Amino acid sequence: MKVYLRIAHDGEFYNQNCSDAFAGCNKLGLDVVRYKAIYSINDNQPEDLVVGSYSDTCFALDRMGIHPEPLDYPDELMPFTGRKIWKSTLFTVSRDMTASTDGSCCHIFIKPRQDVKRFHGTVINCCEDFIKLGGGVDDIDVWCSEYVHFISEWRLWVLNGEIVGLNPYGGAWDVFPDVEVLRKAVRAYTSAPSAYALDFGVTDDGRTLLVEVSDGYGLMSYGLNARLYVQILLTRWKEMTASAVQEASDKSTEIEG
């Protein structure tokens, strides 16, 4: 098994995630292959982890016919969100906001459901704010949620059902989440994959609420211990590619036979 890590044109690692993954691979004794463009990888095996941009990882999985659905808001964890969250489309949100006369459709947070790189999660206060979403006029599926003011945000790392790390990534580093809420959320998430992250925020009124759930295969490192970071990426990768690995093994056996 090898780990493919993306590098920039100057030979340095593409981003901090790749740099941290390299450190973790060294600690775990894993072979590393550097690449500049995902399209240049043509001799990798299904079990070989690919770390680069989110698009790189998705491209590598797509070539194996693996198309993971974003986790976002699993049913078991909806009680931990503490706010109304619903599915809609970009055009519907725009239409409702335009037609609103009492402001009830304004001041909401929206993020893509499938086309996750279309735009970052954004607070929309008025129709003019849609310009913040960038170009493109296609309608897409989105998540909508009532706006809450998070004064600090934290990433909770979970590997094989166990909490292995907690890192601040936004807001005040000294405003800590309620640890018991975090533990309850992990216990409640019975459909969870082998490795994932729960992002939690602390609101201005002191509540600890789920921001979103992120799958383990494409996570940013956020300062997590490098060994743990690679273990999380690799564990989820193995889970997702198990069928592809078995298929490749079966084909190899047929050829040898």
Side-chain angles (χ1 to χ4, degrees), residues 10 25 27 36 39 56 65 68 78 93 101 116 135 147 182:
D10 61 2
C25 287
K27 292 180 179 180
K36 287 185 178 179
Y39 310 102
D56 292 338
M78 290 302 286
V93 174
T101 58
V116 297
Y147 174 77
L182 308 187

Side-chain angles (χ1 to χ4, degrees), residues 46-73:
E47 64 267 23
D48 295 336
L49 174 65
V50 175
V51 184
S53 68
Y54 179 76
S55 297
D56 292 338
T57 304
C58 290
F59 181 86
L61 292 171
D62 182 71
R63 288 201 298 194
M64 292 183 279
I66 300 170
H67 312 286
E69 290 287 322
L71 299 178
D72 291 330
Y73 306 107

Side-chain angles (χ1 to χ4, degrees), residues 11-246:
E12 297 295 323
F13 284 110
Y14 176 71
N15 56 23
Q16 188 62 48
N17 304 325
C18 294
S19 181
D20 290 344
F22 178 70
C25 287
N26 283 339
K27 292 180 179 180
L28 293 169
L30 300 175
D31 292 332
V32 168
V33 178
R34 294 168 171 81
Y35 74 95
K36 287 185 178 179
I38 188 64
Y39 310 102
S40 67
I41 300 177
N42 51 33
D43 59 350
N44 63 307
Q45 301 301 310
E47 64 267 23
D48 295 336
L49 174 65
V50 175
V51 184
S53 68
Y54 179 76
S55 297
D56 292 338
T57 304
C58 290
F59 181 86
L61 292 171
D62 182 71
R63 288 201 298 194
M64 292 183 279
I66 300 170
H67 312 286
E69 290 287 322
L71 299 178
D72 291 330
Y73 306 107
D75 290 342
E76 306 101 307
L77 296 184
M78 290 302 286
F80 294 89
T81 63
R83 60 198 184 280
K84 180 183 177 183
I85 295 177
W86 67 99
K87 297 176 181 178
S88 188
T89 70
L90 193 58
F91 285 2
T92 300
V93 174
S94 176
R95 181 199 66 203
D96 291 347
M97 190 166 290
T98 301
S100 176
T101 58
D102 59 1
S104 60
C105 295
C106 300
H107 209 47
I108 63 173
F109 176 85
I110 66 171
K111 58 173 285 189
R113 286 176 52 200
Q114 299 293 334
D115 189 5
V116 297
K117 290 303 179 182
R118 169 72 176 272
F119 59 84
H120 294 293
T122 303
V123 176
I124 301 295
N125 295 306
C126 60
C127 293
E128 287 74 15
D129 284 343
F130 281 91
I131 197 172
K132 295 189 294 186
L133 307 184
V137 295
D138 295 334
D139 196 13
I140 63 170
D141 293 329
V142 296
W143 284 107
C144 300
S145 71
E146 294 176 328
Y147 174 77
V148 292
H149 182 206
F150 290 116
I151 58 176
S152 72
E153 296 183 53
W154 299 74
R155 170 153 288 182
L156 184 74
W157 304 84
V158 184
L159 177 61
N160 294 321
E162 298 294 329
I163 297 173
V164 296
L166 179 65
N167 299 88
Y169 68 87
W173 64 270
D174 58 348
V175 179
F176 297 96
D178 185 330
V179 174
E180 189 55 35
V181 172
L182 308 187
R183 290 180 176 140
K184 287 180 179 179
V186 172
R187 289 195 296 267
Y189 192 12
T190 56
S191 66
S194 60
Y196 63 96
L198 299 180
D199 290 344
F200 275 91
V202 181
T203 65
D204 53 0
D205 59 358
R207 294 178 295 160
T208 295
L209 303 181
L210 180 70
V211 177
E212 64 182 358
V213 184
S214 298
D215 209 332
Y217 67 88
L219 294 171
M220 298 175 66
S221 57
Y222 281 164
L224 182 68
N225 173 279
R227 179 194 293 266
L228 282 173
Y229 180 55
V230 172
Q231 288 176 329
I232 284 175
L233 296 178
L234 189 57
T235 297
R236 180 60 175 136
W237 187 272
K238 287 182 177 179
E239 183 178 47
M240 297 173 68
T241 61
S243 296
V245 170
Q246 184 61 52

